[in-house]
Amino acid sequence: MANRICVSMMDEMDEPVWFEKVEGFVQTVMGKFGFDGQEISVMFCDNECIQQLNQDYRNIDAPTDVLSFESDGEYTDETGTWKLAGDIAISIPMIKENADYFGTTQNDELKRLLVHGVLHLNGYDHGEEHIEQGKAPECEMLVKQEELLAQLKEKVIIG
């Protein structure tokens, strides 16, 4: 069984040219981690939307780059039983902001946010540690994230 990935855009936003490549990349990520029979949604939005989500769910009144909302439900259909892993929200403006800050490409930053979100949906957490420029991560989640990103260096979403 594979995984189901539902990718969407905030209603007021136009789909970027790379939009249709996201599902395949997320499938690859989930496969690399051995996740199977899971369903997730990925929503792209603006800073105002993600700031509101951050306020509503984390009590932080500021935009952020990626949020993950775990779910523990499941359902069965004609193809089998699916675990509802949850939802990922990514701010499109933060992709560029982060890429500029980290001195990387928007492609690499989008891949980082997607991998980060998938890991959170599958029970990983990094506590107070975050990726810092010039510093190797220490916690298991961020180490896994960086190892997988190195394996997927040649994958292109934003080209």
Side-chain angles (χ1 to χ4, degrees), residues 53-84:
L53 291 169
N54 212 14
Q55 174 66 41
D56 291 348
Y57 293 97
R58 298 178 64 221
N59 239 5
I60 298 173
D61 190 19
T64 189
D65 48 11
V66 60
L67 291 171
S68 298
F69 302 95
E70 283 184 81
S71 176
D72 62 358
E74 67 178 38
Y75 69 95
T76 302
D77 66 11
E78 65 280 352
T79 62
T81 299
W82 297 89
K83 177 186 183 296
L84 296 171

